[in-house]
Amino acid sequence: MASLALQGWPFPDNQDIELFWFGSPYMDYRENWRIRVAFRTPTGEIKVISFPWGTIPTLRLGQIYSNGISDPIKALSGDVLKVTINNLNQGVITNGFRLPKRLIDFGKNPELGLQRIIQFQSEGLTICIPLIEFVRALFINSKYLAYYLLQPHGLELLVEKSDLRGKTLHFDLTSRVPAKHATDTNARHLSWIYTDSRVRSMWDSVYNSMFSQAIKDSPVNPSTRLKKGLPLNIELPDLGPLELHVRGERFMDHVLVKEIIGVSGFNHPASEILFWHPSKKHRESAYGDRQVRIVSKPTSENYILNDESENSKEDVNQDILEAPLTVMQFNNYPVVNTRSENVQHSNKGKDVIVISGRGGKNLGTLKEVSTQDSMVGGDTPPIDFQSLETIPSTQAFGLEDFFSMIQLLKQEFAVGIRMSVLRVPTGKRFSICPNGSRRTCAIVQVTNTVVTKYIVEVARPDNWSISTLILEPTQQATMKSIERDIKFLLEGLVEKNGHWDQSVLNLRSQVKIDKVKHYQSDSARDWAYRIANKLIH
């Protein structure tokens, strides 16, 4: 297992530092999710630092770090126990301050002590599971699942199709799931979350309870509450019995679970899973030379955490930092069969050595990874707006398919892309999405050697019928006038209750405006080519 080096390590060199406890997830000023983590020095001093929320799959209570690196071979604190839970709905949710101080002492730190604990009774013992560890073990085996857990309707963004026919599940994933995670094990895990209504309700309750609490505490602007941080909560369903293998510490009749190593007793709704992912291709032989790249590669890969990236790149072929595995054992073990609809041609001729690709000067150095939330295109540069207020793309609920199309546009055509996301003006019901969030709008600046045009796409999580606009400013148009035209268009859109105001379109003298309709039958590639046709001509 590869190790992860945490950058900006604030402790002295070569000192063993213990990961003591977790604080609340919160949003930073860029609207990125982060997690506060408490570390304890050999003298007992507690220091809280923060990391991107996507780091949580690699973190375990009781881990020992030196120089920011955890040794995966070094023994962790606690003993391994087997615990039987009759039913999850028998769990009592409380907070860390209720634990015996001889078991763990938070002092008077509310950030740590108010984190929620689930208590179960098992064979005369009170089993205390930190809620963050419970959520991690059941749901979060990767960075991408961590972030989609804290998004409204996040699960739907990962699943293209789920159709249970008898005991056979047809299960298709979207390209948001990285190819390296498109495995039988992950297909079994993700389809279990998606298709078992009790497990699905647990997943949904994590975000819903957090957002509901934020609205309750700050009705006018719930994001201010999310930026302060909120302890995770969960609704426990009627599900059991379960058997857990855990690592924990005991004081009298209380056991504090520091890590859930394995869980058994779940039932999967399907006996067979027909699984598909865009990366799945069947090979066909073709005539031609085979290109062989010779690269010296170390036997194990270590990584260094890049904590400065605003967004990592969302890419079906992105690198994946493997997290320590929590074993999930089903009573019924569904067979996974992969469907391969696309073709990959494999040349069968003589070998030709090439030197392109990774390697060279970067060999022997730590590979840099980001556990920030991913977006299509990574850190796509924003448009240099002066008067329009932009927001982070992480708030762009309902624009995910549009981002995928823009990524294809970048790949297929020689164009420069800048993109910013705005909120649609308030004032009408159309300004609010069905889930209660503000409706957003993407503005994309597309530049080639001849002309610069702008794409205006309004978020449609509810499949609202509204065309994409293509704006072609005249050569006399200034950036200020372009911003003014976009502002008038969006204000007219709201006044017309979600329809473009034709009178506003006609009045724009310094910009030519084309409309592009949405078609449900369009693939992302079809959509990209139709947009490109309007951009080029």
Side-chain angles (χ1 to χ4, degrees), residues 381-386 388 390 402 405-406 409 415-422 441-448 451-458 467-487 489 500 505 510-516 531-532 534-537:
I383 305 172
D384 295 323
F385 286 136
Q386 299 300 314
L388 295 176
T390 63
F402 178 75
M405 183 276 291
I406 291 298
L409 198 68
V415 292
I417 297 286
R418 286 180 172 269
M419 179 169 63
S420 292
V421 177
L422 318 174
C441 173
I443 312 295
V444 180
Q445 182 189 70
V446 185
T447 305
N448 59 27
V451 69
T452 295
K453 296 187 180 183
Y454 292 83
I455 306 172
V456 181
E457 175 72 8
V458 178
S467 298
T468 304
L469 296 187
I470 307 292
L471 313 184
E472 182 180 355
T474 63
Q475 292 185 351
Q476 292 76 30
T478 63
M479 195 64 199
K480 186 176 180 179
S481 69
I482 294 169
E483 290 184 42
R484 185 173 62 247
D485 287 340
I486 292 172
K487 183 173 181 288
L489 286 170
W500 296 118
L505 298 181
Q510 290 192 315
V511 60
K512 176 185 174 183
I513 302 177
D514 278 334
K515 292 182 179 179
V516 181
I531 292 290
K534 291 287 186 180
L535 294 172
I536 295 171
H537 297 95

Side-chain angles (χ1 to χ4, degrees), residues 419-431:
M419 179 169 63
S420 292
V421 177
L422 318 174
R423 289 191 179 97
V424 168
T426 57
K428 299 284 185 179
R429 180 184 294 181
F430 175 76
S431 306

Side-chain angles (χ1 to χ4, degrees), residues 298-494:
T299 55
S300 64
E301 284 189 335
N302 293 327
Y303 299 85
I304 187 168
L305 177 65
N306 175 10
D307 199 16
E308 301 300 321
S309 173
E310 292 189 26
N311 292 98
S312 61
K313 183 178 180 181
E314 184 174 286
D315 182 354
V316 72
N317 294 315
Q318 64 185 280
D319 286 327
I320 295 297
L321 173 63
E322 292 187 17
L325 183 65
T326 298
V327 178
M328 302 285 292
Q329 183 66 52
F330 295 99
N331 290 333
N332 61 325
Y333 198 70
V335 176
V336 178
N337 293 310
T338 303
R339 298 192 342 265
S340 302
E341 297 179 355
N342 299 324
V343 177
Q344 179 175 346
H345 294 288
S346 179
N347 291 342
K348 297 298 183 182
K350 64 181 181 180
D351 292 346
V352 176
I353 296 176
V354 296
I355 58 173
S356 61
R358 289 183 178 173
K361 66 178 182 180
N362 294 322
L363 288 177
T365 62
L366 291 178
K367 184 182 292 185
E368 188 177 87
V369 295
S370 172
T371 51
Q372 292 283 17
D373 193 6
S374 62
M375 65 170 286
V376 177
D379 296 323
T380 301
I383 305 172
D384 295 323
F385 286 136
Q386 299 300 314
S387 60
L388 295 176
E389 182 179 355
T390 63
I391 61 173
S393 60
T394 51
Q395 296 185 19
F397 175 60
L399 286 168
E400 296 81 11
D401 290 340
F402 178 75
F403 291 159
S404 297
M405 183 276 291
I406 291 298
Q407 180 68 4
L408 280 173
L409 198 68
K410 291 170 64 176
Q411 293 172 355
E412 300 287 338
F413 301 93
V415 292
I417 297 286
R418 286 180 172 269
M419 179 169 63
S420 292
V421 177
L422 318 174
R423 289 191 179 97
V424 168
T426 57
K428 299 284 185 179
R429 180 184 294 181
F430 175 76
S431 306
I432 306 298
C433 292
N435 73 334
S437 62
R438 280 280 296 276
R439 194 179 296 269
T440 56
C441 173
I443 312 295
V444 180
Q445 182 189 70
V446 185
T447 305
N448 59 27
T449 56
V450 179
V451 69
T452 295
K453 296 187 180 183
Y454 292 83
I455 306 172
V456 181
E457 175 72 8
V458 178
R460 303 183 311 117
D462 47 0
N463 292 318
W464 187 265
S465 179
I466 182 172
S467 298
T468 304
L469 296 187
I470 307 292
L471 313 184
E472 182 180 355
T474 63
Q475 292 185 351
Q476 292 76 30
T478 63
M479 195 64 199
K480 186 176 180 179
S481 69
I482 294 169
E483 290 184 42
R484 185 173 62 247
D485 287 340
I486 292 172
K487 183 173 181 288
F488 281 135
L489 286 170
L490 295 180
E491 289 174 349
L493 169 72
V494 172

Side-chain angles (χ1 to χ4, degrees), residues 152-311:
H153 311 289
L155 205 55
E156 285 87 345
L157 301 177
L158 302 174
V159 180
E160 185 76 33
K161 182 182 76 172
S162 178
D163 183 15
L164 186 60
R165 304 174 190 174
K167 284 295 184 178
T168 300
L169 176 65
H170 296 254
F171 193 65
D172 296 1
L173 296 177
T174 68
S175 58
R176 294 183 181 89
V177 177
K180 290 184 179 179
H181 269 203
T183 62
D184 290 359
T185 299
N186 283 320
R188 199 176 285 113
H189 176 236
L190 197 55
S191 63
W192 167 68
I193 299 173
Y194 193 85
T195 57
D196 190 313
S197 59
R198 297 166 299 176
V199 180
R200 176 78 171 270
S201 70
M202 272 200 298
W203 168 287
D204 290 339
S205 70
V206 175
Y207 173 80
N208 291 340
S209 60
M210 176 179 280
F211 193 70
S212 297
Q213 187 63 47
I215 292 176
K216 181 180 178 180
D217 294 348
S218 181
V220 177
N221 189 4
S223 65
T224 59
R225 187 66 182 91
L226 295 176
K227 289 179 180 178
K228 292 180 180 178
L230 282 167
L232 288 187
N233 204 352
I234 199 169
E235 294 176 7
L236 298 171
D238 180 7
L239 189 59
L242 303 176
E243 190 173 89
L244 278 60
H245 285 80
V246 304
R247 175 177 54 83
E249 293 187 350
R250 179 176 175 177
F251 174 72
M252 298 183 69
D253 62 345
H254 281 66
V255 175
L256 175 60
V257 172
K258 294 195 169 184
E259 179 182 4
I260 298 175
I261 301 169
V263 187
S264 62
F266 292 118
N267 289 293
H268 198 289
S271 297
E272 181 186 12
I273 302 170
L274 293 180
F275 163 56
W276 178 84
H277 181 267
S279 65
K280 300 301 181 183
K281 302 175 182 180
H282 64 267
R283 293 178 178 271
E284 288 187 0
S285 298
Y287 179 77
D289 294 337
R290 291 189 299 176
Q291 293 186 337
V292 179
R293 182 171 69 245
I294 299 176
V295 176
S296 299
K297 189 173 183 179
T299 55
S300 64
E301 284 189 335
N302 293 327
Y303 299 85
I304 187 168
L305 177 65
N306 175 10
D307 199 16
E308 301 300 321
S309 173
E310 292 189 26
N311 292 98

